[in-house]
Structures are given as structure tokens and as C-alpha cells.
Amino acid sequence: MSAETETLRTLIDDCRRGVVFTGAGISTESGIPDFRGPNGLWKKIKPIDFQEYLRSEEVRQKSWRRWFEHGQGLLGAKPNAGHFAVAELVRQGRVSAVITQNVDNLHQYSGIASERVIELHGNATYAKCLDCEAVVTLESVAAEYRQSGRVGPCTACGGIVKTATISFGQPMPEQSMRRAEQETLACDLFIVLGSSLTVYPAAGFPALAKQQGAKLVIVNQQPTELDGVADLVVHAGIGETLRRVVPPGD
Ligand code: ZN
């Protein structure tokens, strides 16, 4: 074990209640592209704004077309060593919640109960009616799109159907933000995995954790804005780092 992984192991052993905060970096190890990263999709094409999506049927259809062309890559992705190590920490009771900026459902797929995963940007593995909140599977949306080249309104209420992600210009999900704050205030160890901590307000949580006296750990390939105040910074892959710190459970 390197000095870094030994320090991380000690911090985890000594903590009373840990929180894990994940960003795109944990999922790139599962082959999911970082849409917001320096080479991400959103640097090449302009993301669709939520208000425009609400206003224009044309924009909605353009958005679905894009999704079928670019967004499906994350369907079928599998959790990796990093996700499984986090799941093991939850299983052992060391981590009470996982706050994530990711929309890929990989924490749930790794075996963490969905009530312990707090999604700040929603979930891209299903769609939802914006009015009645009926869940629409992407399989049924895809079938409709294949058949007619369009995605129509909610069959239950006629409302607008959209992937269950939080789009640019869409308000942050209030309940998730509140739960994330409560978990952050209650923890004594806050571990950031694979986030450059540039997307606010989400990135405010590690700063809040530090302020209220928790230890802050950052594992990320690149430097982040909070490296200077963290108790431990590891610039390495998440899977390789955590595999050494958290042996797979039996
Ligand atoms: Zn509806």
C-alpha cells in the first residue's frame, strides 16, 4: 500500500459516518463519456435549454433525435471496481449516502439501494412525464421513435415527456438538494470521487463538509478547486485506488 492509500484506509476506519460524492470520473472507467469535460459532447454541440424544451415541440423532437444518436452509450454500461468499492463501504455501514452528479444509474446497478443514492442531475435510464410524473421506460420511447420518428406526449395525461435528467436551465431537484445537504452536515468524512468540482451548486457540498469539520478526501485524475483544503488528495484512477483500500466483500 502506498502512503496515500494507507492514509485513506485510516480515514475510513476512523470515520463514524461517511458520505461519498461522485462525478463523471468514476463512470469514465465504465466507458461512459464525460459530456461536460474538456472534450465532452457539450463542448461540440450546444446543450438544449429546459425552457426551450418546454416551449417548442421542434426542440423536443431535436432533443430526442440527439439522444438516440449520442446519448444511448450509457445504456448497457456496467459498474466498475470503483462503484463496487463504494457499494462495499455502504454495505459495511461506513458510508450512509452516495451523492452523485452522474445520471447513469451505475451506483444502483452496483447493489446500492436507490434510497441511499442522491441524484443531483437526475437519471438518464428512464423518462418521465413532466406533468403527472409517470415513469416511461426508454424501451417504449425507443419503440415509438423507431416506428414514427417522433416521441409523443404522455399517454396518461398528454403532458411533456423528457428523460429524467436535470437539463441545463432546469431547476435543481429540491428534495435531492435538501437530502444531500443533510447528509453532508451529518458526516465526518466526505470522499469525492471523479469530480472536478466545477459544477455548482453541486460542488458546494464538499466545501460545506469541510466547513462543518468533516475530513475531506478527493480522488480525481486532475487537480480540483478544493485540493488546497482537502485532508487527502489522490491524483489517480478511482478503481485502482479503491481496490487497494476496500477489498471486495464476500
Ligand atoms: Zn403525464
Side-chain angles (χ1 to χ4, degrees):
M1 254 196 212
S2 70
E4 282 172 344
T5 48
E6 233 165 274
T7 305
L8 180 50
R9 185 66 247 179
T10 306
L11 285 169
I12 291 171
D13 284 342
D14 292 350
C15 89
R16 180 180 45 74
R17 187 182 172 115
V19 163
V20 167
F21 179 96
T22 63
I26 193 170
S27 292
T28 50
E29 295 177 21
S30 285
I32 293 176
D34 177 5
F35 290 129
R36 293 172 191 259
N39 300 310
L41 187 62
W42 299 144
K43 290 284 184 293
K44 291 170 201 144
I45 58 173
K46 187 174 164 281
I48 285 169
D49 178 80
F50 182 62
Q51 295 304 327
E52 288 175 37
Y53 190 92
L54 292 184
R55 254 193 320 262
S56 160
E57 171 68 12
E58 196 189 322
V59 168
R60 291 195 281 278
Q61 297 308 327
K62 180 173 144 195
S63 165
W64 282 115
R65 209 156 49 236
R66 263 190 195 181
W67 192 85
F68 285 106
E69 281 165 19
H70 302 288
Q72 289 187 98
L74 57 86
L75 298 181
K78 301 242 175 356
N80 62 60
H83 293 103
F84 286 121
V86 173
E88 179 60 19
L89 290 174
V90 172
R91 196 190 64 81
Q92 292 172 358
R94 297 193 175 277
V95 164
S96 62
V98 178
I99 305 169
T100 187
Q101 297 175 291
N102 299 334
V103 296
D104 50 37
N105 210 54
L106 292 184
H107 287 301
Q108 291 91 328
Y109 290 151
S110 75
I112 302 177
S114 53
E115 60 269 21
R116 289 197 184 272
V117 181
I118 303 171
E119 295 172 320
L120 299 178
H121 297 159
N123 190 309
T125 65
Y126 61 94
K128 236 163 115 174
C129 170
L130 291 173
D131 289 336
C132 74
E133 305 211 325
V135 169
V136 184
T137 67
L138 289 177
E139 287 78 16
S140 70
V141 172
E144 188 185 350
Y145 184 82
R146 267 197 310 273
Q147 210 173 38
S148 64
R150 312 178 61 75
V151 177
C154 171
T155 50
C157 80
I160 293 173
V161 174
K162 182 182 165 296
T163 56
T165 49
I166 305 300
S167 297
F168 289 84
Q170 190 170 357
M172 294 296 284
E174 243 173 76
Q175 204 202 351
S176 299
M177 289 294 284
R178 205 167 32 239
R179 283 186 58 216
E181 188 180 329
Q182 285 164 353
E183 288 290 344
T184 301
L185 291 172
C187 79
D188 62 349
L189 176 64
F190 194 98
I191 305 174
V192 176
L193 302 174
S195 173
S196 52
L197 302 177
T198 48
V199 181
Y200 279 84
F205 293 112
L208 178 64
K210 188 65 198 163
Q211 261 168 37
Q212 60 87 10
K215 300 273 191 206
L216 176 61
V217 174
I218 298 174
V219 184
N220 197 51
Q221 293 278 11
Q222 287 84 32
T224 78
E225 307 208 352
L226 289 181
D227 283 8
V229 301
D231 297 274
L232 173 68
V233 178
V234 184
H235 289 154
I238 293 158
E240 55 168 319
T241 303
L242 291 188
R243 215 176 355 227
R244 278 182 242 132
V245 177
V246 190
D250 39 25

